[in-house]
Amino acid sequence: MRDDSKIKNETASTDSPTQGCGCGCKCGSRDGVTRLGFITCMVAGWATFTASVGGLGAMLLRFLAPNVDYEPSQSFSAGSPDDYTRGEVSTRWKDKYGVWIVRLEDRIVAVSTVCTHLGCTPNWLETEGKFKCPCHGSGFRKTGDNFEGPAPRPLERFKIWLNDEGGLEINKSIVFRGEKDEWSSPESYVSA
Amino acid sequence: METLKHLLNLLSDPRISFPILMILFFFIFPPTAWFEKWNKRLHFDRLWTPVGGLVMHGLMLVALVAATLDPNFRLIVTKPDNVPIVILIFGSVYFLWLSMRQARDNDQRLEAGEKPDEYCDPKRRDILVWPDVLYIELIAMILCMAFIIIWSLYLQAPLEQPANPALAPNPAKAPWYFLALQEMLVYFDPWLAGVVFPTLIIVGLIALPYLDSDRAGSGFYSFSRRKLFISLFCFGWLLLWVYLIIVGTFLRGPNWNFFGPFEVWDAHKVVPMNNVNLSELIWIKLLHRPLPNSILLREAVGILGLLGYLFVLPPLLEKSALKRFAGQMGRMRYGLFMFLSLMGLLLPIKMILRWTLSLKYLVSIPGWFNI
C-alpha cells in the first residue's frame, strides 16, 4: 500500500511517464488502475446507468399513453324520442357509450352504466325490472335509484336535450346525481 | 338423494350456516375456561386425535367425491380457478389438525404434571431457528415454487374475448384468494372493505405476538395456555377468511345471489331484497316521521352507536367483565386488543344485520362516509 503523500508527489510531476498505465496517460498507477482510467470508468459506468434508468423511465412513461384510445366521444345523438317506448330501458348505447336510455312515464333520461359501488357494469334484468350488478349484488330500479346491495347512491344521469331536428342529444361530461337532488334540473331529462 | 341435496342447499346458505358455524366454533376452539369445559364435555377435543383426524379428512374426501357426482357442483369445482380452493380447504384442515394434535398432547402432559413433549424429545428440544428451522422453510418455499411452476404449465389459462368495459361477466369474481375481500365489499363501503379492513388485518397480524406477551405457553405447542389468542386468530382465519372464500367460490352465483352448492345457476333467480339504512329504520319505521334534513340529526343514532361501540364499550368492559384480563394486559395492550377485536367483529355483526333487518348502512352520508 502506498501512502497519500506519495500519490500527491506523483500527480504533481505531470511530465514524467509512469509505469503500468493501461490507458497510456501520464498519471500514476496503482494495481493497474490509473486516476484517469478510474474517472473514465466512473463516467462510463454512470453514463450507462443513467442511460438505462432513463430508458426504462421513458418506457414506463410510454406505457402511460395507451396503444388503443378506447375513449368514445363524450356526446352523441341517440335518435328520435319516438324510438323509445314508454317504460322501456334501452340497452342500445350501452356497449358503445355506456348509457342506458330510459323512458319513464313522463320523461326520457340517460342513465350511466357505471355502478356507484365499485364501478362494474350492471345488467338490465327485464323480467325483474331492475339493474343488477354482477360484482357485489347492488340493485337499482329503472329510475337508477339504489335499493339493494351495497351501492351507496343512485346511478348517475347525464345531460340530455332535444336538438333542432327534434333528436335526442346526450353529453356525458355533465352529470346529475340523485342524492344531491340534481334530477329536478331540466337539463337532466327530456319531457316526452 | 334429491332430498339430501335439497337439505344441503338449504343448510349451506350463509344466513343459516354462518350462525351455526359461529356458535359451534367457540366450542371447538374454546376462548375461555367455560367454553373449554363444554369442549371437553362434548368431546370436541377428540377431533385432534389421530382417529379424529382420519375421520375428519375421510369425511371431507367422501363428501367432495360424492358432491362432484352432481353436475352443478362439478361445474364449479373443476373450474381451473377453483382447484386451489380445494387445496386450501384440505391444507388448512390438515395443518390445523397437525398443530392442534401436538397442542392437545402437551396440554394433557401439563395437566399430568409432566413437561411438554418438546422438552423431553432431544430431537425437538435442540432446534435452532438458524439454521434448522429457516433451512426447512427455505426448502419448503423452493418446493412450493417448483410445484406452482409445473402446475401452471399444465393448467390452461382461459383465453377470453378482448376486454370490454361495458361487459362484466355474471357473476364477476375476484381471484380466489381475494374472494373474502369481495364478500366484505357486499356489506361495507369500498374504502372500508378495500382499504381500512385489509390494513387492519395486516396490522393485527403483526401486532399479535406483541399483544400476547404471556410467556406461559412459550416454546411449545399448547392450546390451553393461550386459548384466547389462538381462538380469536382461528376465528378470523377460519370463519372470516377461509369460510368467506368458500362462500364466494361455491355459494355466490349470477347477480351475486346466494346459490346452494347443488343448485342451478339461474341468472333470473329472484331474491327480494330491499335494503334500508339505519336512519330510515329509526325515523320512518319506528318514529313514523320523515327523515330530518340535518345530516347529523338523521344519522345521530348510527354515529353515537358506533362511537359507543368502539370507544365507550372497551373502558366499560375494563371496569367490569374484563377487569382481570385488562389488568394482565396493561392499558395500551388492552386498548389495541379491544380496538382490533371490535373492528373484526364489525364484519359478522354487519352480515347478520343485513340478513335479519336488511340493513344497508349504519351511518350513511352518501358521497362522504358509509359504514
Side-chain angles (χ1 to χ4, degrees):
Chain A
M1 290 291 285
R2 290 167 181 230
D3 54 52
D4 284 345
S5 59
K6 220 167 184 184
I7 296 172
K8 254 178 213 159
N9 284 340
E10 277 179 11
T11 39
S13 58
T14 43
D15 290 332
S16 61
T18 44
Q19 80 284 15
C21 184
C23 53
C25 58
K26 293 170 182 173
C27 52
S29 89
R30 182 176 152 193
D31 303 330
V33 179
T34 61
R35 248 162 227 279
L36 190 64
F38 174 75
I39 290 169
T40 315
C41 287
M42 281 297 280
V43 170
W46 275 104
T48 319
F49 178 74
T50 315
S52 25
V53 169
L56 273 173
M59 280 158 78
L60 269 176
L61 284 179
R62 166 65 190 81
F63 267 115
L64 292 178
N67 286 331
V68 181
D69 196 7
Y70 180 79
E71 192 93 338
S73 164
Q74 286 292 302
S75 50
F76 63 100
S77 314
S80 149
D82 300 330
D83 295 350
Y84 307 94
T85 50
R86 217 167 281 280
E88 181 201 351
V89 171
S90 167
T91 53
R92 251 169 78 187
W93 309 101
K94 182 188 166 194
D95 281 359
K96 200 165 176 197
Y97 295 107
V99 172
W100 285 300
I101 308 285
V102 183
R103 182 157 185 178
L104 302 169
E105 279 311 304
D106 60 336
R107 57 186 64 181
I108 297 177
V109 291
V111 177
S112 158
T113 63
V114 177
C115 177
T116 52
H117 178 230
L118 262 184
C120 288
T121 307
N123 298 304
W124 167 244
L125 304 179
E126 185 71 53
T127 42
E128 286 98 279
K130 66 183 180 188
F131 300 105
K132 187 79 176 161
C133 184
C135 292
H136 306 93
S138 293
F140 305 88
R141 294 188 206 290
K142 191 186 280 178
T143 53
D145 283 310
N146 53 321
F147 73 103
E148 62 182 14
R153 51 196 189 83
L155 292 172
E156 290 169 356
R157 291 183 184 178
F158 297 127
K159 182 181 175 183
I160 184 168
W161 73 98
L162 284 175
N163 61 19
D164 296 341
E165 287 89 48
L168 289 170
E169 294 283 337
I170 286 145
N171 184 355
K172 285 175 63 185
S173 52
I174 296 166
V175 168
F176 298 91
R177 290 168 151 211
E179 79 277 11
K180 289 187 180 169
D181 291 326
E182 290 172 348
W183 285 357
S184 49
S185 159
E187 289 187 318
S188 71
Y189 62 89
V190 162
S191 299
Chain B
M1 200 63 206
E2 285 306 306
T3 44
L4 180 70
K5 278 184 191 173
H6 198 70
L7 184 75
L8 284 175
N9 279 342
L10 268 179
L11 276 179
S12 63
D13 187 320
R15 281 161 285 198
I16 295 170
S17 61
F18 186 74
I20 293 178
L21 284 175
M22 209 164 112
I23 294 166
L24 209 59
F25 175 87
F26 289 108
F27 289 97
I28 299 177
F29 298 92
T32 62
W34 184 85
F35 281 105
E36 202 172 26
K37 201 176 71 196
W38 276 99
N39 169 280
K40 294 259 160 59
R41 207 171 283 178
L42 294 166
H43 297 297
F44 278 140
D45 60 325
R46 294 219 182 137
L47 282 175
W48 318 122
T49 59
V51 177
L54 271 180
V55 170
M56 241 187 334
H57 287 83
L59 277 180
M60 274 166 58
L61 205 64
V62 169
L64 180 71
V65 172
T68 312
L69 295 176
D70 179 89
N72 292 317
F73 186 79
R74 193 161 58 229
L75 262 180
I76 311 173
V77 84
T78 52
K79 223 176 149 231
D81 302 22
N82 295 343
V83 182
I85 298 163
V86 179
I87 301 179
L88 168 85
I89 296 170
F90 277 87
S92 338
V93 172
Y94 173 70
F95 286 109
L96 199 68
W97 172 82
L98 192 68
S99 45
M100 286 301 281
R101 182 183 60 106
Q102 297 173 68
R104 182 175 179 270
D105 281 355
N106 278 345
D107 288 346
Q108 284 177 343
R109 294 172 81 101
L110 289 167
E111 227 171 284
E114 292 171 47
K115 284 203 153 190
D117 188 44
E118 281 88 339
Y119 284 80
C120 307
D121 184 354
K123 267 194 207 149
R124 300 182 70 192
R125 194 183 51 199
D126 303 323
I127 292 183
L128 300 169
V129 171
W130 173 261
D132 299 349
V133 180
L134 286 182
Y135 255 89
I136 295 172
E137 280 184 11
L138 183 72
I139 292 167
M141 223 158 69
I142 292 171
L143 287 179
C144 269
M145 281 300 288
F147 169 69
I148 287 172
I149 289 170
I150 294 167
W151 184 22
S152 64
L153 290 176
Y154 278 94
L155 208 66
Q156 296 300 315
L159 197 58
E160 293 176 10
Q161 307 152 14
N164 176 2
L167 190 82
N170 192 8
K173 290 196 180 182
W176 65 272
Y177 42 85
F178 278 155
L179 279 172
L181 277 184
Q182 192 171 5
E183 201 56 37
M184 291 205 296
L185 278 163
V186 176
Y187 305 98
F188 288 102
D189 201 59
W191 78 268
L192 266 178
V195 181
V196 175
F197 284 167
T199 311
L200 280 180
I201 291 172
I202 294 168
V203 170
L205 285 176
I206 294 171
L208 207 60
Y210 300 100
L211 289 175
D212 178 19
S213 61
D214 191 357
R215 291 266 167 162
S218 192
F220 55 91
Y221 281 97
S222 167
F223 184 84
S224 61
R225 288 285 171 102
R226 46 182 71 205
K227 43 182 171 280
L228 178 68
F229 281 93
I230 298 179
S231 178
L232 283 184
F233 173 80
C234 285
F235 183 78
W237 163 241
L238 292 174
L239 270 188
L240 300 186
W241 196 257
V242 175
Y243 171 79
L244 288 184
I245 287 180
I246 295 170
V247 167
T249 313
F250 296 111
L251 307 180
R252 285 291 194 180
N255 301 325
W256 215 247
N257 284 327
F258 284 135
F259 287 82
F262 307 116
E263 206 175 330
V264 188
W265 277 14
D266 175 13
H268 293 284
K269 178 179 176 178
V270 179
V271 183
M273 211 175 24
N274 204 344
N275 295 339
V276 285
N277 290 323
L278 185 66
S279 52
E280 287 157 355
L281 275 179
I282 286 172
W283 289 99
I284 297 174
K285 285 214 173 150
L286 214 65
L287 300 176
H288 300 287
R289 274 177 208 203
L291 286 177
N293 282 327
S294 150
I295 291 176
L296 271 180
L297 183 63
R298 189 185 72 199
E299 306 293 345
V301 178
I303 294 174
L304 289 179
L306 257 170
L307 288 179
Y309 173 74
L310 280 180
F311 300 108
V312 181
L313 194 62
L316 278 182
L317 287 174
E318 191 185 0
K319 298 261 153 36
S320 55
L322 296 178
K323 199 167 182 180
R324 228 186 63 206
F325 175 71
Q328 285 166 358
M329 292 275 280
R331 255 263 148 84
M332 195 64 201
R333 266 204 200 96
Y334 172 80
L336 188 61
F337 171 82
M338 286 308 278
F339 178 71
L340 289 170
S341 313
L342 290 176
M343 284 303 270
L345 272 181
L346 263 182
L347 177 62
I349 289 174
K350 190 77 193 287
M351 281 159 77
I352 288 166
L353 284 177
R354 172 70 60 84
W355 297 333
T356 51
L357 301 174
S358 57
L359 180 93
K360 188 191 281 174
Y361 289 119
L362 290 162
V363 177
S364 167
I365 307 170
W368 282 94
F369 181 77
N370 301 290
I371 189 164

